[in-house]
Amino acid sequence: MTDTTLDLGPQALAVARLALAVRDDQLAAPTPCPDLAVRHLLGHLLGLSVAFRDAGRKDFGATTDTAPDSAVPDIGPGWREELPKVLDELADVWRAPAPWTGTTRAGGIEMPGAVAGAVAADELVIHGWDLARATGQPYDPDPAAVRASYAFLWAAADETGPGEGVFGPVVPVPDDAPLLDRAVGLSGRNPGWRPGR
């Protein structure tokens, strides 16, 4: 899917900024992820950031071997300090060439390092979009991360068959739509999603 490295820092920073702007009264709000409120989405972002940080370090254990759907994620009282810190650590680890080579593990799945890096970019892009939509914030994702996300999702959909994506049925989006919208559609989400719709 990719044989070059990608700086995850700009996208990690975009997600951290979105997270820090979430108000306490928004934590129970719905998100584009079925059955996940904003607080659960933030918990998922925290967990995946730890998992992909450790996958980049090739430090295997519970953080890399636990399936993401094994429990409903949630946040603790220190999440506003913890999430930006872990996002920064994730980006820092993946700036080195070593994580992109060989194999690693995340979510209990073994994969090439380059694929894991693309998955990390995709998770940050799509869940950043989820968080922005759920909390009514503008979203300015890193263009390089959006390209990596789209390439990963397109390749995954191509492998799974017509209309199917890695995260569920593909939502059709016009070919001339912005690349982010096309990535969102490939992730099984409707780019027009708004709370209550």
Side-chain angles (χ1 to χ4, degrees), residues 11 14 44 87 93 107-108 127 154 159 174 183 197:
Q11 183 58 31
H44 179 59
L87 282 164
V93 166
H127 289 314
W154 186 88
E159 288 177 13
R197 290 173 64 186

Side-chain angles (χ1 to χ4, degrees), residues 31-34 36 41 44-45 48 122-134 139 149 152-153 163 165-174 180-194:
T31 73
C33 303
L36 292 188
L41 177 59
H44 179 59
L45 278 163
L48 76 86
D122 173 65
E123 292 278 345
L124 293 176
V125 167
I126 298 300
H127 289 314
W129 180 86
D130 290 333
L131 187 59
R133 282 301 168 98
Y139 186 38
S149 171
F152 166 73
L153 290 166
V166 69
F167 300 114
V170 169
V171 174
V173 176
L180 177 61
D181 287 359
R182 287 181 277 152
V184 166
L186 286 170
S187 76
R189 293 156 171 79
N190 181 345
W193 188 94
R194 295 284 188 281

Side-chain angles (χ1 to χ4, degrees), residues 141-165:
D142 174 54
V146 173
R147 289 191 297 272
S149 171
Y150 177 80
F152 166 73
L153 290 166
W154 186 88
D158 192 49
E159 288 177 13
T160 54
E164 288 301 318

Side-chain angles (χ1 to χ4, degrees), residues 57-159:
R57 292 174 176 168
K58 302 187 182 179
D59 180 12
F60 306 128
T63 60
T64 59
D65 294 346
T66 303
D69 58 358
S70 61
V72 176
D74 207 344
I75 50 172
W79 72 269
R80 289 186 188 277
E81 295 75 34
E82 190 178 2
L83 181 55
K85 176 179 178 286
V86 175
L87 282 164
D88 188 55
E89 291 171 350
L90 164 70
D92 190 53
V93 166
W94 284 89
R95 284 190 181 105
W100 299 88
T101 62
T103 60
T104 190
R105 246 185 356 258
I109 299 171
E110 188 164 322
M111 64 190 93
V115 172
V119 173
D122 173 65
E123 292 278 345
L124 293 176
V125 167
I126 298 300
H127 289 314
W129 180 86
D130 290 333
L131 187 59
R133 282 301 168 98
T135 58
Q137 297 185 60
Y139 186 38
D140 186 25
D142 174 54
V146 173
R147 289 191 297 272
S149 171
Y150 177 80
F152 166 73
L153 290 166
W154 186 88
D158 192 49
E159 288 177 13

